[in-house]
Amino acid sequence: MTSLLHVVGARPNFMKAAPVIRAARSRGLAQVLVHTGQHYDHAMSESFFADLGLPVADENLGVGSGTHAEQTARIMLGFEPVLDRRRPDWVLVYGDVNSTLACALVAAKKSIRIAHVEAGLRSGDWSMPEEVNRVVTDRVANLLLTPSRDADLNLTREGIDPIRICFVGNVMVDTLLFLRDQARSLEMPKRLGLEAGQYAFVTLHRPSNVDSSETLDELLGALEDLGRQMPVCFAIHPRTRQRIREFGLERSNGRVRWLEPLGYLETIGLVERAALVLTDSGGLQEETTVLGVPCLTARSNTERPITVTEGTNRLVASTRSAVGTAIAEVLAERESGRFSPRRPDGWDGRAGERAVEAIIQRSGGALPPIESRS
Ligand code: UD1
């Protein structure tokens, strides 16, 4: 029987692994779940396990925070003996966080098959740690399971043999569609005293936005301006909370609610009924596209361009004035009824099943070759 070892570590991994684990269970595969402990606060980890119905991790490496080198090295050191003990047929890594790269490297050196779920995304921005993680993980993974057609193109352009690439669609959307009703039943807007369609939802955590006091100050100014038009729910990531404190940027503003990081269901429950979302998250760019909610992404590039070309997303510079202008445009477009998003191919709730099928099909015989054509 084919055996899988799933690696998760940080918040965005959990909703990607859940549908694949569910699909593998229904096909009777043996599975082990390893949590690296990259994220460890209840609100960043356990609450997601509960919301998503994930099984308790079989192993927790407890690596915690640190510099990129420290964190990546600690994950590798912790993961190697686990892999030696478990010896799965496949290691499944998800997304683009440090846990993804670290465990892919360990598995590659042990010649254990690696499947990368959400392969092929590229922002072209090498200053993002995630871009390094994506490119290197794809280089060493045997099976590249892609969420959108542009990802296939990125990989073939890099000279990767198409035999390693398999388009399966977006696993994060599986989770969204699976839990959408449950999220709705929380009645989050009502619980927060908000009117559906009349408030904004905001998250910001990218180093490029929150690690510079000037940029963070500009963005907090933009939230203040937005708060004059409608109530704003600002769910604050621990990194952002720390920086706000460090830079002395705390401010009190009745219409901007500063919230702790929210659980998955709470977030989806709020996003679905928001007038607009302002974010720098990768996942929210996709979730807003599926939910048909306008999204402004405070970044100069995105590894998810399909959310712009087919979905509800638009990029905006991280300045108070650019965000203000974009918000006015989005709200006007929404009023005029010109807003008509589409859902990309393969974002249909079945991507996890296709990912497991692809793995099963490639489980006999020789490893897909890693050599690229270039
Ligand atoms: C990581 C991912 C990023 C992802 C994000 C989602 C990498 C390189 N980055 O960024 O791609 O979008 O997760 O959240 O893997 N902290 C806590 N509690 C926690 C976790 C973190 O307080 O449970 C604080 C720590 O001070 C830490 C800081 O947040 O230093 C940043 O955490 P880290 O995991 O290094 O990066 P993220 O910004 O969360």
Side-chain angles (χ1 to χ4, degrees):
M1 190 207 306
T2 305
S3 60
L4 312 181
L5 185 154
H6 307 265
V7 174
V8 293
R11 188 169 61 173
N13 292 152
F14 307 135
M15 39 284 213
K16 293 168 194 166
V20 181
I21 292 173
R22 209 166 44 244
R25 192 185 301 132
S26 76
R27 298 293 297 268
L29 305 189
Q31 318 194 57
V32 170
L33 179 59
V34 175
H35 190 334
T36 65
Q38 177 175 341
H39 283 174
Y40 43 86
D41 285 351
H42 176 86
M44 301 294 286
S45 176
E46 266 171 75
S47 102
F48 283 80
F49 271 65
D51 280 0
L52 300 168
L54 277 168
V56 177
D58 299 286
E59 311 255 2
N60 192 320
L61 310 181
V63 299
S65 302
T67 65
H68 284 274
E70 285 166 350
Q71 194 173 58
T72 308
R74 278 205 296 267
I75 298 168
M76 291 180 73
L77 287 171
F79 188 55
E80 184 167 47
V82 170
L83 205 48
D84 286 340
R85 219 170 338 105
R86 302 278 184 174
R87 298 301 301 179
D89 296 318
W90 290 88
V91 169
L92 274 72
V93 293
Y94 296 84
D96 55 17
V97 302
N98 286 344
S99 302
T100 312
L101 170 65
C103 295
L105 281 178
V106 174
K109 297 281 180 86
K110 292 187 180 290
S111 297
I112 294 180
R113 291 167 207 233
I114 303 161
H116 183 201
V117 179
E118 200 188 81
L121 297 186
R122 298 288 183 267
S123 66
D125 178 356
W126 284 90
S127 69
M128 281 181 83
E130 292 82 1
E131 185 72 356
V132 179
N133 294 344
R134 289 180 199 115
V135 171
V136 181
T137 301
D138 285 341
R139 190 65 188 81
V140 299
N142 305 84
L143 179 56
L144 302 171
L145 300 168
T146 59
S148 48
R149 303 281 182 192
D150 55 300
D152 296 37
L153 212 61
N154 291 334
L155 292 168
T156 44
R157 262 198 220 118
E158 287 173 15
I160 287 177
D161 193 326
I163 200 171
R164 285 168 55 206
I165 305 169
C166 182
F167 170 74
V168 294
N170 192 325
V171 288
M172 185 121 76
V173 175
D174 291 14
T175 295
L176 177 60
L177 299 178
F178 189 64
L179 293 174
R180 187 178 182 170
D181 287 347
Q182 216 174 307
R184 201 176 282 159
S185 70
L186 292 181
E187 301 194 335
M188 283 302 289
K190 199 163 143 198
R191 270 168 57 181
L192 295 181
L194 299 163
E195 238 182 279
Q198 306 292 327
Y199 62 90
F201 181 77
V202 178
T203 76
L204 298 165
H205 75 282
R206 294 271 160 227
S208 58
N209 280 331
V210 307
D211 285 2
S212 133
S213 69
E214 289 77 24
T215 308
L216 185 52
D217 193 33
E218 285 278 311
L219 287 167
L220 294 178
L223 298 197
E224 232 170 79
D225 298 341
L226 178 56
R228 284 192 206 97
Q229 301 174 65
M230 60 178 74
V232 177
C233 296
F234 180 25
I236 310 181
H237 187 283
R239 172 192 282 275
T240 310
R241 173 82 64 186
Q242 266 177 25
R243 296 295 182 262
I244 288 173
R245 210 174 295 135
E246 242 172 81
F247 301 146
L249 296 175
E250 290 101 340
R251 41 186 107 184
S252 61
N253 178 328
R255 297 261 282 178
V256 182
R257 301 212 201 154
W258 290 37
L259 306 172
E260 292 304 311
L262 297 171
Y264 179 76
L265 295 171
E266 293 172 325
T267 302
I268 296 304
L270 275 178
V271 168
E272 186 175 28
R273 294 286 183 242
L276 67 96
V277 168
L278 171 64
T279 191
D280 55 14
S281 144
L284 275 174
Q285 295 174 54
E286 299 180 340
E287 286 151 353
T288 47
T289 276
V290 173
L291 294 171
V293 175
C295 180
L296 292 175
T297 298
R299 285 176 48 188
S300 54
N301 53 60
T302 177
E303 62 289 337
R304 294 166 162 90
I306 201 163
T307 61
V308 176
T309 53
E310 296 192 19
T312 62
N313 189 21
R314 75 166 75 178
L315 301 180
V316 58
S318 300
T319 65
R320 189 170 186 159
S321 66
V323 171
T325 307
I327 286 171
E329 284 169 9
V330 161
L331 294 178
E333 203 171 289
R334 200 164 160 261
E335 283 294 300
S336 73
R338 273 184 288 120
F339 186 70
S340 51
R342 282 198 289 145
R343 196 186 287 180
D345 191 17
W347 294 28
D348 60 356
R350 314 291 297 270
E353 291 166 28
R354 290 189 288 268
V356 169
E357 181 58 35
I359 289 169
I360 290 172
Q361 277 179 13
R362 287 161 181 80
S363 286
L367 279 176
I370 301 266
E371 299 77 41
S372 65
R373 287 180 164 171
S374 55

